[in-house]
Amino acid sequence: MSDITPLDKVGEFGLIHRIQNTITLQQPSTVLGIGDDAAVIAPAANHDVVVSTDMLVEGVHFDLTFCPLKHVGYKAVAVNVSDIAAMNATPTQIVVSISIGARFSVEAIEELYEGMRLACEAYNVDLVGGDTTASRGGLTINITALGQVEHGKAVRRSGAGPNDLICVTGDLGGAFLGLQVLEREKQAWQADPETQPELSKYPYVLQRQLRPEARMDIIHELRDLGVVPTSMIDISDGLASETLHLCQASGTGARIFSENLPIANPTLEVAEEFNLDPIMCMLNGGEDYELLFTVPLSAHDKLKNHPDITIIGHMIDKSEGANLITKAGQPVPLRAQGWQHF
Amino acid sequence: MSDITPLDKVGEFGLIHRIQNTITLQQPSTVLGIGDDAAVIAPAANHDVVVSTDMLVEGVHFDLTFCPLKHVGYKAVAVNVSDIAAMNATPTQIVVSISIGARFSVEAIEELYEGMRLACEAYNVDLVGGDTTASRGGLTINITALGQVEHGKAVRRSGAGPNDLICVTGDLGGAFLGLQVLEREKQAWQADPETQPELSKYPYVLQRQLRPEARMDIIHELRDLGVVPTSMIDISDGLASETLHLCQASGTGARIFSENLPIANPTLEVAEEFNLDPIMCMLNGGEDYELLFTVPLSAHDKLKNHPDITIIGHMIDKSEGANLITKAGQPVPLRAQGWQHF
């Protein structure tokens, strides 16, 4: 970026004005967007509104040393859309709050919003409001996403029964290994600023970490297939943690077969390079933003050959607990590792 | 508070669990609250949903040296409800994100949520979701509020016409002067920690600053009176700034009569003590969270004797500009001072 305009030169209203000018509305349910005390939405008849919120903090959730602001913006929207998808709903609107330290330029913030704009376009979502304020430190982004789903058709975490099949979309562990690559290269660069970071060898895992996609495509496909999940959650903290959430909410146990866990070849290669157990990366890595869901046994034939859905296990009675079944047939209790922020 | 439990002792899920246990749901439109990927809301038939979001940053919007966390929580909800009120809508749900540094205890965060709980009770709003994360610095709170309004009945900033009366609720300048008192006492205390802060003399302005109320009461009264504002905004940045927003959105000018501006006696006394012009405090002080709205001339008789609504001027043609008319009859252009965060 060649232009650098200090924030105090345009002020809060000036910044909002510049951002507002880049936004177009495409959702039929958006009655009124940015520019009033609140946005106005007219939900479709006989539809419920779902709402989810996520806060991303610089230095905790993202590191601007290696993460371009455009990607931060895209990811911030995608992870919220992912929560809406996990309710079996369609995302419709977002509102965005940011607090920014004085070191950010107007152009940097415009990069951030450009990433959000691209994600809004990709997911057919309108940015309808927000708040822009100063911070004493780094960048904090909060996005609240709204979606709609036919009345009574939201899929909760709590609807699974024993014998339901446990399915996961895409593949796992990539986002976590992308982070390992970025942190290694950052350390090398900090030790010797002359070092060129070696990133071009790892396009897949870096994309998984820096620019994840919400699986709205699967939500639409399941509708087309006539398959309604009995429970669903998106994978932000890791497969183990999310499986335990479904079990706890549904009052079931679970058996996940380690042999069935989906991993992409590039992810596997990076795991080997880092001497990390690929199974642990898939179970506890987190940030893959794939969907984890259960379906009745009767859906087996519709899903068994789906190229982007893997049946990884099944629910069982609560008394059996939630276990990973190893290749050798040994049960190992699943544990919620997830992220320890505090 | 006698108990001090470090955050890392209970972790993110433990903290959410403790907060969740204090929450009760009272809104008929809330289908599903905290505990899933998203909350589910069933809006009333033929109603629009309004949505507003606000971020409060420690050291920018509040100072924990003199502001108890319970008040911070209450105010965070009230200012969001105020935005919903300013659309002529009824608040229904909020989602709350917080990022917290390691110096906060579990009990401190519970105080914050207790303030939010009290405000939810006062405004009949459900806390239906949120996000809790770590920060490298202080406390940041983001609240997104949802409300409902009969389809097509949201009041925007843009509906005023020339000759419409300009009205304001309550009185102005108090929150700003409350802040002056707090900052003076803080400086005295920093200079000499033995000093006892002198706060008991200023209950009114301190209450205005620390624990403002959203004027939902006025929204209900206007409905009862059959008065529909043509435009409306809440006063967060100051009367001058908000009047200019209404004028810009509505394509009008405005005449505000300085003689008509409402100020409470305790506010006036503090202004005198601080040698501050009361008119400037009312125009540019901000944070009063009163409602500024316009009504057709025909509503004059219904509002002229209302104890809590003051007619302070009227809209005029855009070409006349937006002016304060002094006691001597001189027009002085209104200027948006507001808050300069950056």
Side-chain angles (χ1 to χ4, degrees):
Chain A
M1 289 176 292
S2 51
D3 288 341
I4 295 182
T5 313
L7 277 175
D8 58 6
K9 202 159 178 187
V10 301
E12 182 180 356
F13 294 139
L15 182 63
I16 292 170
H17 197 69
R18 285 175 79 139
I19 293 163
Q20 202 172 343
N21 284 338
T22 67
I23 288 168
T24 52
L25 302 175
Q26 47 190 347
Q27 266 292 331
S29 62
T30 303
V31 177
L32 181 65
I34 293 182
D36 217 298
D37 290 83
V40 182
I41 291 149
N46 198 35
H47 275 63
D48 290 339
V49 170
V50 299
V51 53
S52 178
T53 197
D54 251 304
M55 189 174 267
L56 298 178
V57 180
E58 185 183 347
V60 177
H61 299 94
F62 59 90
D63 183 338
L64 293 177
T65 322
F66 49 62
C67 195
L69 275 163
K70 199 188 274 187
H71 285 8
V72 172
Y74 193 96
K75 183 170 176 175
V77 175
V79 305
N80 273 280
V81 168
S82 181
D83 278 323
I84 301 299
M87 301 304 287
N88 200 32
T90 304
T92 47
Q93 285 89 14
I94 57 168
V95 292
V96 177
S97 301
I98 61 169
S99 69
I100 22 178
R103 73 181 158 93
F104 289 89
S105 68
V106 172
E107 288 76 16
I109 299 304
E110 285 177 335
E111 276 290 298
L112 176 72
Y113 275 88
E114 174 61 12
M116 292 196 271
R117 197 190 62 72
L118 287 170
C120 283
E121 212 171 86
Y123 298 113
N124 194 28
V125 166
D126 287 350
L127 198 168
V128 296
D131 192 15
T132 311
T133 181
S135 85
R136 294 273 182 252
L139 174 66
T140 299
I141 307 166
N142 194 89
I143 297 189
T144 302
L146 304 182
Q148 293 181 37
V149 58
E150 224 181 295
H151 181 57
K153 295 288 171 66
V155 173
R156 305 180 182 194
R157 298 180 179 177
S158 56
N163 302 322
D164 281 0
L165 300 173
I166 303 175
C167 306
V168 71
T169 61
D171 54 74
L172 302 175
F176 172 72
L177 286 160
L179 186 61
Q180 304 315 306
V181 170
L182 289 167
E183 294 196 330
R184 182 185 64 186
E185 297 304 313
K186 183 185 174 185
Q187 278 174 19
W189 177 79
Q190 283 175 331
D192 174 12
E194 300 289 303
T195 313
Q196 284 295 323
E198 271 201 62
L199 297 177
S200 60
K201 273 173 61 189
Y202 309 98
Y204 185 73
V205 296
L206 291 177
Q207 160 113 0
R208 297 290 290 170
Q209 168 58 226
L210 294 175
R211 207 174 178 290
E213 295 285 0
R215 300 308 307 257
M216 277 310 300
D217 55 335
I218 298 290
I219 298 301
H220 295 305
E221 280 187 46
L222 290 175
R223 277 183 209 163
D224 292 346
L225 287 168
V227 173
V228 182
T230 50
S231 71
M232 187 151 52
I233 191 169
D234 75 324
I235 300 180
S236 53
D237 288 337
L239 179 66
S241 171
E242 314 305 359
T243 302
L244 290 169
H245 281 309
L246 292 186
C247 287
Q248 192 177 20
S250 295
T252 62
R255 305 179 81 195
I256 303 277
F257 297 93
S258 71
E259 275 184 292
N260 295 7
L261 294 180
I263 191 164
N265 278 331
T267 306
L268 198 56
E269 284 164 20
V270 181
E272 279 164 11
E273 184 181 331
F274 277 76
N275 262 320
L276 288 166
D277 176 10
I279 301 286
M280 292 315 289
C281 295
M282 289 189 278
L283 283 178
N284 298 319
E287 286 205 280
D288 286 316
Y289 297 104
E290 298 292 343
L291 293 170
L292 177 70
F293 59 95
T294 56
V295 293
L297 212 47
S298 58
H300 180 267
D301 289 352
K302 285 184 181 171
L303 298 185
K304 68 178 178 190
N305 293 321
H306 194 290
D308 219 14
I309 295 174
T310 309
I311 300 170
I312 57 171
H314 60 85
M315 292 298 202
I316 46 171
D317 192 79
K318 191 179 180 173
S319 62
E320 309 264 344
N323 291 287
L324 180 78
I325 311 298
T326 66
K327 220 168 173 174
Q330 292 301 312
V332 181
L334 289 173
R335 290 201 308 188
Q337 205 125 333
W339 297 104
Q340 284 299 335
H341 293 157
F342 302 122
Chain B
M1 287 176 293
S2 52
D3 288 340
I4 295 183
T5 312
L7 277 175
D8 58 7
K9 202 160 177 188
V10 300
E12 183 181 355
F13 294 139
L15 182 63
I16 293 171
H17 196 69
R18 285 174 80 139
I19 293 163
Q20 202 173 343
N21 284 339
T22 68
I23 288 168
T24 52
L25 301 176
Q26 47 189 347
Q27 267 291 332
S29 63
T30 302
V31 177
L32 180 65
I34 292 182
D36 218 298
D37 291 82
V40 182
I41 292 149
N46 198 35
H47 275 62
D48 290 338
V49 170
V50 299
V51 54
S52 178
T53 197
D54 252 305
M55 190 175 266
L56 299 178
V57 180
E58 184 182 349
V60 177
H61 300 94
F62 59 89
D63 183 337
L64 293 177
T65 322
F66 49 63
C67 194
L69 276 163
K70 199 188 275 188
H71 284 9
V72 172
Y74 193 96
K75 183 170 175 175
V77 175
V79 304
N80 272 281
V81 168
S82 181
D83 279 322
I84 301 299
M87 301 302 288
N88 199 33
T90 305
T92 47
Q93 286 89 12
I94 58 167
V95 292
V96 176
S97 300
I98 61 169
S99 68
I100 21 177
R103 73 183 158 90
F104 289 89
S105 68
V106 172
E107 288 76 15
I109 299 305
E110 284 177 335
E111 277 290 297
L112 176 73
Y113 275 87
E114 174 61 12
M116 292 196 270
R117 196 190 63 71
L118 287 170
C120 283
E121 209 171 87
Y123 298 113
N124 194 27
V125 166
D126 287 351
L127 197 169
V128 296
D131 191 16
T132 313
T133 180
S135 85
R136 295 271 182 253
L139 173 66
T140 298
I141 307 167
N142 194 90
I143 296 189
T144 302
L146 303 182
Q148 292 180 37
V149 60
E150 223 181 295
H151 181 57
K153 295 288 171 67
V155 173
R156 305 180 182 195
R157 297 180 180 178
S158 57
N163 301 322
D164 281 0
L165 300 173
I166 303 175
C167 305
V168 70
T169 61
D171 53 73
L172 302 174
F176 173 73
L177 286 159
L179 186 61
Q180 305 314 306
V181 170
L182 289 168
E183 292 196 332
R184 181 183 66 188
E185 297 305 314
K186 184 186 173 184
Q187 278 173 22
W189 176 79
Q190 283 174 331
D192 174 11
E194 300 289 301
T195 313
Q196 283 294 324
E198 272 202 61
L199 298 177
S200 61
K201 274 173 61 189
Y202 309 99
Y204 185 74
V205 296
L206 291 177
Q207 160 114 2
R208 296 292 288 171
Q209 168 58 226
L210 295 176
R211 208 175 177 289
E213 294 285 0
R215 298 310 304 259
M216 277 310 300
D217 56 335
I218 298 291
I219 298 301
H220 296 305
E221 280 188 46
L222 289 176
R223 277 182 210 164
D224 293 346
L225 287 168
V227 172
V228 181
T230 51
S231 71
M232 185 152 52
I233 192 170
D234 74 324
I235 300 180
S236 53
D237 288 337
L239 179 65
S241 171
E242 315 303 359
T243 303
L244 290 170
H245 281 309
L246 292 186
C247 288
Q248 192 177 17
S250 295
T252 62
R255 305 180 81 195
I256 302 279
F257 297 94
S258 71
E259 275 186 292
N260 295 7
L261 294 180
I263 192 164
N265 279 331
T267 305
L268 199 55
E269 285 164 19
V270 181
E272 280 163 10
E273 184 181 332
F274 278 75
N275 264 318
L276 289 166
D277 176 9
I279 302 285
M280 292 314 291
C281 295
M282 288 189 279
L283 283 178
N284 299 317
E287 287 205 279
D288 286 316
Y289 297 102
E290 297 292 344
L291 293 171
L292 178 70
F293 59 96
T294 57
V295 294
L297 212 49
S298 58
H300 180 267
D301 288 354
K302 285 184 180 169
L303 298 185
K304 68 178 178 190
N305 292 322
H306 194 290
D308 218 13
I309 294 174
T310 310
I311 300 170
I312 58 171
H314 59 84
M315 291 299 199
I316 46 170
D317 190 80
K318 191 178 178 173
S319 62
E320 309 264 345
N323 291 288
L324 180 78
I325 311 298
T326 66
K327 221 168 172 174
Q330 293 300 313
V332 181
L334 290 173
R335 289 203 307 188
Q337 205 124 335
W339 297 105
Q340 284 299 335
H341 292 157
F342 301 122

